[in-house]
Amino acid sequence: MNRIEDFMAESYPKFPENFLRFEGEKVLVVYPGNRRQSWYRQVGGWVYLTNFRIMFCPNKLEQFLAAKEWWSWGKDVTGASPVGRQWSDFLGGGGRKRMRVSFRDAPSGLFVVNGPEKIVEEVEFWRSDLDS
């Protein structure tokens, strides 16, 4: 590779190693964040939006602690919305503002991300772009 290709390879988000990549699938954006795995457990890692799906990849420490990868088809995402602090759900990330992602045939997911209002707008734009 030449220097420009090296720069381009470093500039664009890389596909997570633990996921099977579908033909033609590209990572569009990656957000650092946590995913609510259970009522008492937040898992640290990254939220990925690809041209086909939304994915969550735990970081190496969380993988060592038995956290699992997760994904859903983009066409099954019915919406995203910001969620305010809920101190009664402190262990589930309720001490921070979060993003709720709703799905057609599955329970909604909660993600702690920086600036959830802005990311909700980006997820909604991503979702509408998948429909077109």
Side-chain angles (χ1 to χ4, degrees):
M1 278 203 261
N2 62 34
R3 291 172 59 189
I4 293 174
E5 289 172 338
D6 289 341
F7 173 76
M8 297 283 282
E10 291 176 13
S11 299
Y12 288 97
K14 292 184 173 62
F15 202 85
E17 298 170 4
N18 300 353
F19 285 86
L20 174 67
R21 186 179 203 157
F22 297 105
E23 186 175 334
E25 187 171 23
K26 299 179 285 192
V27 173
L28 303 174
V29 67
V30 180
Y31 304 106
N34 294 344
R35 178 177 173 265
R36 182 180 182 170
Q37 186 170 295
S38 67
W39 70 270
Y40 62 88
R41 174 101 158 85
Q42 285 285 316
V43 174
W46 296 271
V47 178
Y48 289 78
L49 296 179
T50 75
N51 52 330
F52 296 146
R53 57 188 169 161
I54 182 172
M55 305 183 304
F56 179 80
C57 184
N59 63 39
K60 297 289 184 195
L61 175 62
E62 295 286 10
Q63 289 175 25
F64 178 75
L65 297 173
K68 301 293 182 207
E69 299 88 14
W70 168 91
W71 67 273
S72 178
W73 292 112
K75 64 181 180 180
D76 291 335
V77 175
T78 58
S81 58
V83 176
R85 290 180 177 89
Q86 296 173 326
W87 294 105
S88 61
D89 188 23
F90 184 76
L91 294 177
R96 302 242 347 241
K97 292 181 181 178
R98 296 172 286 179
M99 172 178 68
R100 178 184 315 276
V101 179
S102 301
F103 303 97
R104 186 177 329 270
D105 296 324
S108 61
L110 288 172
F111 300 87
V112 174
V113 290
N114 291 328
E117 294 85 4
K118 179 180 181 285
I119 294 176
V120 161
E121 288 178 18
E122 292 173 2
V123 169
E124 285 294 321
F125 178 77
W126 165 79
R127 191 173 70 82
S128 67
D129 199 40
L130 289 175
D131 292 337
S132 56

